[in-house]
Amino acid sequence: MPPAGAGATAGATAGTSASAAAATINDRPVTIKPYSLHVSSRYLDLTRKKLELSRLPHGLSPADEREWKYGVPKEVIEPDLDYWLGKYDWRQREKYLNARLPQWRTLVDPPSPHSPLRLHFVHKRSPLGSSHNAIPLLYCHSWPGGIVEVLRIIDALTIPSEEGEPAFHVVVPSIPGCGFSDAGNAEGLGPRAVAAMFDALMLRLGYRYYVAHGTGWGFSICRMLALHHGHRCLGIHTTTPLPCLRPPSWTHRPLHYMKYLTARLMPKGLVAAKLGYHADDFRTSAKGRRRRPSSPPAVSTHTCSGRLCSRLGLQAKPQTLAYALCDSPVGLLAWTRETLAERTRREDSFSTEDALDFTMISWLPGPEAPLRCLAATAANGEDLRDLRERWTKTPLGLCVFPDSQPNFLPAWAACVQPLVSVTRHFGPDVGWPVWERPLEVAEDLKRCFGRAMLTRDPRLKESCYLDLDK
């Protein structure tokens, strides 16, 4: 399996900011180099051979929707395999990604004991520049999304749709081992270490202050940024507070739990509103379930990574599964399809080409590093408790789709961070808002960071007017 970015070519060696020229690692100057995706033809030929030799398992007979309880049905994977062999063209996808997403790489020094790693990232600045209150936004992708995850939202973030609307300079680093960032070989490269690397990257790019957004695994990184780098990360935002945050109970934030019980008794009154609740929080969801705190499960299985690891038995031995997924592109495709099916509720949310894009972003570097990272996160009890329970004064904004998370109310997030912005979107069930409803998420990011936070923190306004072109 080739290293991250195998066969990819980089352009000129000029850095993108003055701070990049001053950066050193082990007394060597570090530059930020333009980067273009270009995987070696030899590796693409090897991938094709493996696809041609694939042996698919037998499915249920007759096939029906019950088959999903055993995993991805053969009737889903078989057409995907035919499309991959007959129609999918990675070279065209490379051209498309390179044209849509300006990419770079630079060497970043992670916390000990990890060695310096080349970090791959997208950096798309608002064309309106610093004169238009362009806010530095660190976008932390989930898995297996990678940089492909931002395709539907990045233009809406960088280009305002109307006069006076805020815009963003968007930075999307590839998590180490995902896409074209180097993978760490030592243990413990979890969300806390990744957050430190991302914070160092933002500083190197010249963004002294910034805000961050993430969902799933990406929100775990955002939480670590808020907890450990709140002096520069001035606010975070998510669409998926559950399962990364723990609901209140009599044993966890009992005062917040009492507020919830009071609001539930009088959901339509002024009391509930003053306590941070909305009448719609207590209505029956589209799935017919009443929203109330669930019993707190074991800490190691309640986070995004912990839930995946528990389901797949990864917590102790992620390397065992890695042998299968590193050798079989169809196996990795099935894993990706399973993850996407759990993430969204609509079959038309992802095309076959979308699923193959996500699979290739994991297949090219190999999925072993993300598997180790997921397992390490699930096994680190101290970091998990911090993610779910530790308080920080860094502001938090939520864009929630209550019918998708009927067992978590936005006000519960105030147990761990001050809530400055909450937007509820009711209607069709949405599992991955940034992909399924990108314009609504972009609008909420502008509302949260451009209106709610910009007026509160003068440091964020200072970053808006930073001119990196000088």
Side-chain angles (χ1 to χ4, degrees), residues 213-224:
H213 167 84
T215 62
W217 195 9
F219 182 52
S220 297
I221 297 171
C222 289
R223 276 282 292 160
M224 286 300 183

Side-chain angles (χ1 to χ4, degrees), residues 175-196:
I175 294 173
C178 297
F180 297 91
S181 286
D182 287 344
N185 293 322
E187 287 186 300
L189 193 64
R192 183 170 180 174
V194 173

Side-chain angles (χ1 to χ4, degrees), residues 58-89:
H58 296 294
L60 294 179
S61 182
D64 59 34
E65 62 182 14
R66 291 176 299 173
E67 193 172 11
W68 274 99
K69 72 179 182 180
Y70 297 103
V72 184
K74 184 180 179 181
E75 288 69 26
V76 173
I77 294 299
E78 201 163 30
D80 284 355
L81 175 57
D82 292 340
Y83 188 93
W84 200 342
L85 284 168
K87 296 182 179 180
Y88 186 74
D89 187 344

Side-chain angles (χ1 to χ4, degrees), residues 58-131:
H58 296 294
L60 294 179
S61 182
D64 59 34
E65 62 182 14
R66 291 176 299 173
E67 193 172 11
W68 274 99
K69 72 179 182 180
Y70 297 103
V72 184
K74 184 180 179 181
E75 288 69 26
V76 173
I77 294 299
E78 201 163 30
D80 284 355
L81 175 57
D82 292 340
Y83 188 93
W84 200 342
L85 284 168
K87 296 182 179 180
Y88 186 74
D89 187 344
W90 173 251
R91 289 294 182 222
Q92 291 300 317
R93 302 308 293 166
E94 281 181 337
K95 291 179 182 178
Y96 176 71
L97 292 172
N98 288 334
R100 285 287 311 280
L101 304 175
Q103 299 161 65
W104 313 80
R105 277 213 304 197
T106 188
L107 199 65
V108 176
D109 200 4
S112 180
H114 305 282
S115 302
L117 302 175
R118 290 174 302 173
L119 200 62
H120 166 260
F121 62 97
V122 171
H123 185 195
K124 188 166 186 176
R125 299 190 62 209
S126 172
L128 300 179
S130 58
S131 63

Side-chain angles (χ1 to χ4, degrees), residues 70-365:
Y70 297 103
V72 184
K74 184 180 179 181
E75 288 69 26
V76 173
I77 294 299
E78 201 163 30
D80 284 355
L81 175 57
D82 292 340
Y83 188 93
W84 200 342
L85 284 168
K87 296 182 179 180
Y88 186 74
D89 187 344
W90 173 251
R91 289 294 182 222
Q92 291 300 317
R93 302 308 293 166
E94 281 181 337
K95 291 179 182 178
Y96 176 71
L97 292 172
N98 288 334
R100 285 287 311 280
L101 304 175
Q103 299 161 65
W104 313 80
R105 277 213 304 197
T106 188
L107 199 65
V108 176
D109 200 4
S112 180
H114 305 282
S115 302
L117 302 175
R118 290 174 302 173
L119 200 62
H120 166 260
F121 62 97
V122 171
H123 185 195
K124 188 166 186 176
R125 299 190 62 209
S126 172
L128 300 179
S130 58
S131 63
H132 197 80
N133 286 358
I135 302 168
L137 172 65
L138 172 62
Y139 186 105
C140 302
H141 69 78
S142 60
W143 191 75
I147 61 170
V148 177
E149 183 178 315
V150 300
L151 282 172
R152 295 188 178 185
I153 195 173
I154 195 165
D155 289 339
L157 292 173
T158 55
I159 304 174
S161 58
E162 59 186 45
E163 184 68 26
E165 189 177 58
F168 296 94
H169 298 316
V170 182
V171 180
V172 191
S174 295
I175 294 173
C178 297
F180 297 91
S181 286
D182 287 344
N185 293 322
E187 287 186 300
L189 193 64
R192 183 170 180 174
V194 173
M197 295 179 68
F198 287 4
D199 179 71
L201 172 65
M202 295 299 284
L203 190 60
R204 184 172 302 171
L205 290 173
Y207 298 126
R208 185 179 178 187
Y209 305 112
Y210 59 92
V211 294
H213 167 84
T215 62
W217 195 9
F219 182 52
S220 297
I221 297 171
C222 289
R223 276 282 292 160
M224 286 300 183
L225 286 166
L227 289 168
H228 301 286
H229 305 279
H231 55 295
R232 280 195 291 270
C233 180
L234 305 184
I236 66 173
H237 180 275
T238 188
T239 60
T240 55
L242 187 72
C244 294
L245 301 182
R246 180 178 174 181
S249 65
W250 287 121
T251 58
H252 172 67
R253 301 289 194 269
L255 180 58
H256 284 273
Y257 189 59
M258 291 177 64
K259 290 180 180 179
Y260 159 72
L261 294 176
T262 303
R264 194 177 71 178
L265 289 173
M266 298 175 286
K268 296 183 179 180
L270 185 61
V271 174
K274 287 189 173 182
L275 294 175
Y277 291 87
H278 190 278
D280 284 336
D281 288 342
F282 301 96
R283 71 178 178 87
T284 302
S285 73
K287 297 181 178 180
R289 287 180 285 182
R290 198 72 175 167
R291 298 190 187 90
R292 62 186 63 206
S294 55
S295 299
V299 68
S300 62
T301 62
H302 194 60
T303 62
C304 309
S305 56
R307 184 174 55 182
L308 269 174
C309 292
S310 177
R311 177 167 55 82
L312 295 167
L314 290 178
Q315 286 168 303
K317 301 176 181 178
Q319 192 72 8
T320 302
L321 181 61
Y323 287 111
L325 298 184
C326 285
D327 190 59
S328 172
V330 173
L332 187 57
L333 170 63
W335 165 279
T336 303
R337 275 291 192 184
E338 173 89 6
T339 305
L340 296 179
E342 289 190 346
R343 180 167 291 175
T344 184
R345 276 78 174 174
R346 293 168 44 200
E347 293 183 3
D348 61 348
S349 295
F350 301 93
S351 67
T352 299
E353 192 147 281
D354 292 333
L356 293 177
D357 284 346
F358 290 127
T359 302
M360 284 293 287
I361 291 295
S362 296
W363 168 254
L364 294 172

